[in-house]
Amino acid sequence: MTGLNTCAGAVLGLALCSGAAMAADLSWRFEWQGGDGYEMRGALAIDAALAERERVFGEDVECFVVEGYHEGEPIGRWALGMKTEDTTWSLTFLPQQNAFEVFGPQSLMPQAWNMDGFGTDCGRDGFGFNIGNAAQDLCLDGRLLVASQVPPARPFPAVPDPSVKFPADACLAPALLGQAGPEAVLPASFPVASRAIRRPEAAAAER
């Protein structure tokens, strides 16, 4: 994975970055490997005061972004700043374990990132992720990517990374926006996309 010395044109076409999360925040980066060549990379930040909690939830998150890939090609992204009143948004993170909660008897749908249990509400040209009782899987362009599915109870770790630089639409706090100058460095979680976002079938047709 590769970093970049400028925010221009980076992170799937975004031209601005917010800079690192505020000093009082803790940040993690993560990668998820799905079936059939699908994967997801992302990062989140929470207030450091919440780090001693067993669980933190979607409403506790300060910054969040995910980007999806199929066989190495970018297929879509979603960031917290894109959330609307109609967006499915549920997250359960275990800061002391450096992991996202996965399916279990006490947690039937611990993650729903712009994607409900049916996997059809991520929107036109949208991207989402869900962990429910059936699987961990992705949503793309308003449809469930069945081929991406992996077992629902598979562990989903995250790596603490205080150097994460979030794209401008990943953070809710207005004070975070525009903090980064032109020399801001993108996190390793977000390699540069050299081509426009394409659907998996389009990428496959070029091989």
Side-chain angles (χ1 to χ4, degrees):
M1 295 179 288
T2 305
L4 186 69
N5 289 326
T6 175
C7 289
V11 193
L12 304 190
L14 283 177
L16 296 174
C17 290
S18 69
M22 298 180 70
D25 286 350
L26 297 177
S27 55
W28 288 259
R29 57 182 171 82
F30 53 88
E31 296 185 11
W32 176 87
Q33 298 293 327
D36 196 35
Y38 288 98
E39 60 184 315
M40 177 177 63
R41 304 167 195 167
L44 83 157
I46 63 171
D47 191 306
L50 304 179
E52 297 303 315
R53 291 187 181 180
E54 180 180 359
R55 291 176 174 82
V56 295
F57 302 99
E59 59 268 26
D60 302 315
V61 174
E62 301 285 344
C63 301
F64 183 85
V65 60
V66 287
E67 298 180 343
Y69 298 82
H70 183 250
E71 297 184 351
E73 298 289 342
I75 57 172
R77 69 183 298 278
W78 188 81
L80 189 56
M82 299 164 65
K83 179 179 175 292
T84 71
E85 292 182 357
D86 298 322
T87 302
T88 298
W89 170 237
S90 177
L91 177 147
T92 308
F93 187 67
L94 312 174
Q96 298 182 54
Q97 299 181 37
N98 295 322
F100 291 95
E101 186 155 42
V102 296
F103 172 78
Q106 305 303 318
S107 191
L108 302 182
M109 189 179 293
Q111 316 299 334
W113 309 343
N114 193 37
M115 174 179 172
D116 64 9
F118 296 101
T120 57
D121 73 337
C122 59
R124 183 175 180 179
D125 297 325
F127 176 77
F129 173 76
N130 179 279
I131 298 180
N133 65 323
Q136 301 179 15
D137 44 27
L138 300 175
C139 173
L140 181 65
D141 198 20
R143 62 186 177 88
L144 173 65
L145 290 178
V146 176
S148 72
Q149 293 182 330
V150 296
R154 192 184 73 175
F156 188 174
V159 178
D161 186 350
S163 69
V164 169
K165 302 291 192 299
F166 291 90
D169 61 351
C171 300
L172 293 180
L176 293 178
L177 300 180
Q179 282 188 354
E183 299 303 315
V185 178
L186 293 176
S189 304
F190 307 121
V192 179
S194 60
R195 285 168 282 183
I197 295 174
R198 290 172 294 163
R199 298 288 166 255
E201 55 270 23
E206 295 180 8
R207 297 183 182 276

